[in-house]
Amino acid sequence: MARVYNFSAGPSMLPEEVLRKAAAEMLDYEGCGQSVMEMSHRSKEFDKIIKDAEALLRELMNIPDNYKVLFLQGGASAQFSAIPLNFMQKNNKADYIITGQWAKKAFAEAKKYGAAREVASSADKTFTYIPKTTREDFDPEADYVYICMNNTIYGTVYHEIPDTGDVPLIADISSCFLSEPLDVTKFAMVYGGAQKNVAPAGLVIAIIREDMLGNAREDTPTMMNYKIMADNDSLYNTPPCYTIYICKLVLEYLKSLGGLEAMKARNEKKAKILYDFLDSSKMFHGTVVPEDRSLMNVPFVTDSDELNAKFIKEATSAGFVNLKGHRTVGGMRASIYNAMPIEGVEKLVAFMKEFEEKNS
Ligand SMILES: *Cc1c(COP(=O)(O)O)cnc(C)c1O
């Protein structure tokens, strides 16, 4: 069996250990004679799976007791609407920082429900940096400030969490979930789609401070009402059971590696191999300002579209797949999430060096 190195931005690689464990348990989960795919979400087996997943997440991320952990559906994109519906209700105002497509989409949804305001943006330079803000930039009457922590498409990340004073901060952490420790207490809510770093597609995890709950608009769809989801322990309806099970396996795997500090050290080492090469290469260039570079998504280009296309084609044949940049950016992007092994990046860099020698 030849597995490729998959640099997709999502869905993306899962740890091989997790896939093997899931395969071994596929037909008979822990002696119950059925697959997790087949079992009732009200069964005692699944009850243990979802509770274990929550407990592991709380442990790994150091989530305080006054935060709820919700397992939701609809993708990160459904939360773009759910967030204003649930929270933009006291003053009907919210402040957004626009650092790319995902923040832009969230902002567009919020504008449907109230006075959403663009506080800062890096659109002027194709989102290649994180705009600086200070506490004074935010409306003290805003119901929340919204950021996208790691910008999957453009490869930027907030290395420092913005100071919003007393205004609750909400962050989309889809593409940096569990990649390094995060101080949850700085946020009123963080959330993310699971398909980048946590599990297969179909699951969104939201971590919400309890005092935020209970103010949703009257007409909020039940499935988007975080209070109702919290009151029902994420089991208001059928959750994505199998995805939650894989999430649990990934969390167990992360714990066995030494948790998020260990994951961070690994991710830093991995990203450095690629960035160091990009900084030394005459052919390949990173597109993001060095101080805002993401550990997870690394966009890069050559000076010619032809060469980019040739590189992507040859890389694919060599087993480095999904390196094509997002359609709005072009060039290449290597997404190197938690499950990408260090050898994957070492081998990619060796391949890039060889390509550069042959083509210059
Ligand atoms: C992938 C991604 C999304 C979209 O997620 P869906 O689950 O497809 O809705 C939103 N935000 C960020 C930061 C992402 O990386």
Side-chain angles (χ1 to χ4, degrees):
M1 179 192 62
R3 281 182 50 85
V4 294
Y5 291 112
N6 178 6
F7 294 91
S8 169
S12 45
M13 290 183 84
L14 285 164
E16 206 168 299
E17 292 86 334
V18 165
L19 296 176
R20 285 185 195 285
K21 174 123 204 247
E25 293 182 333
M26 176 62 80
L27 295 180
D28 179 11
Y29 177 73
E30 295 192 344
C32 75
Q34 51 184 313
S35 170
V36 177
M37 280 190 194
E38 303 168 300
M39 66 178 52
S40 164
H41 60 294
R42 310 276 177 207
S43 64
K44 69 176 191 319
E45 287 84 4
F46 185 73
D47 184 60
K48 181 158 171 19
I49 289 170
I50 192 167
K51 289 204 170 110
D52 284 354
E54 176 173 341
L56 281 160
L57 188 74
R58 284 184 179 277
E59 185 184 340
L60 283 164
M61 290 185 73
N62 210 359
I63 302 171
D65 289 343
N66 64 326
Y67 283 72
K68 292 282 187 196
V69 172
L70 305 183
F71 296 96
L72 308 168
Q73 298 185 69
S77 301
Q79 315 319 311
F80 297 168
S81 322
I83 286 164
L85 285 166
N86 280 272
F87 305 130
M88 210 210 255
Q89 297 317 324
K90 279 190 199 129
N91 297 319
N92 210 30
K93 289 164 142 189
D95 280 355
Y96 279 69
I97 302 181
I98 310 301
T99 49
Q101 294 268 0
W102 297 121
K104 221 154 99 180
K105 285 190 169 170
F107 180 50
E109 287 301 308
K111 280 198 281 195
K112 294 181 185 171
Y113 304 109
R117 181 175 75 117
E118 177 183 308
V119 175
S121 165
S122 49
D124 59 336
K125 291 185 181 153
T126 332
F127 303 115
T128 50
Y129 70 102
I130 296 287
K132 302 269 176 301
T133 51
T134 63
R135 193 187 274 220
E136 288 67 41
D137 293 322
F138 301 105
D139 180 350
E141 290 195 340
D143 290 325
Y144 61 87
V145 171
Y146 183 99
I147 63 168
C148 180
M149 189 93 179
N150 184 81
N151 295 279
T152 325
I153 296 172
Y154 302 94
T156 59
V157 70
Y158 279 89
H159 287 294
E160 249 175 75
I161 298 165
D163 177 5
T164 60
D166 293 330
V167 185
L169 178 61
I170 296 178
D172 175 355
I173 59 166
S174 293
S175 52
C176 56
F177 222 135
L178 299 169
S179 63
E180 58 181 313
L182 180 71
D183 184 356
V184 173
T185 65
K186 294 248 160 62
F187 300 89
M189 168 178 178
V190 293
Y191 76 97
Q195 70 271 25
K196 315 283 161 71
N197 239 350
V198 189
L203 171 67
V204 174
I205 298 175
I207 302 164
I208 308 175
R209 208 174 58 218
E210 277 168 359
D211 65 277
M212 296 291 289
L213 297 171
N215 301 308
R217 275 168 65 126
E218 281 290 306
D219 56 359
T220 302
T222 301
M223 285 298 297
M224 286 195 171
N225 187 314
Y226 294 137
K227 175 83 167 55
I228 293 175
M229 291 299 133
D231 289 346
N232 287 277
D233 297 323
S234 304
L235 292 164
Y236 176 82
N237 73 328
T238 318
C241 301
Y242 196 77
T243 301
I244 291 169
Y245 157 70
I246 299 285
C247 167
K248 182 193 85 120
L249 296 185
V250 169
L251 296 170
E252 283 170 350
Y253 165 79
L254 279 175
K255 188 177 167 180
S256 76
L257 282 185
L260 300 190
E261 282 294 349
M263 200 65 243
K264 180 186 186 190
R266 227 166 110 141
N267 285 331
E268 281 176 343
K269 189 172 162 197
K270 223 159 55 181
K272 187 173 185 314
I273 296 169
L274 188 48
Y275 284 123
D276 281 354
F277 171 68
L278 291 173
D279 289 343
S280 70
S281 167
K282 291 200 170 59
M283 178 180 280
F284 297 101
H285 315 286
T287 55
V288 169
V289 299
E291 66 269 24
D292 297 329
R293 284 170 166 176
S294 165
L295 288 182
M296 298 282 101
N297 310 97
V298 184
F300 56 94
V301 293
T302 71
D303 295 332
S304 110
D305 287 344
E306 251 175 23
L307 210 51
N308 290 345
K310 184 168 191 248
F311 173 76
I312 292 162
K313 189 160 172 256
E314 291 183 12
T316 306
S317 311
F320 305 102
V321 306
N322 289 316
L323 280 166
K324 198 169 190 299
H326 190 267
R327 57 194 142 73
T328 59
V329 185
M332 283 71 72
R333 171 179 51 174
S335 294
I336 49 175
Y337 296 118
N338 287 356
M340 171 61 67
I342 287 183
E343 311 84 76
V345 176
E346 286 169 345
K347 287 182 183 166
L348 173 67
V349 165
F351 180 82
M352 289 167 78
K353 277 185 187 154
E354 205 183 295
F355 183 88
E356 181 167 351
E357 277 161 24
K358 275 194 210 146
N359 292 279
S360 48

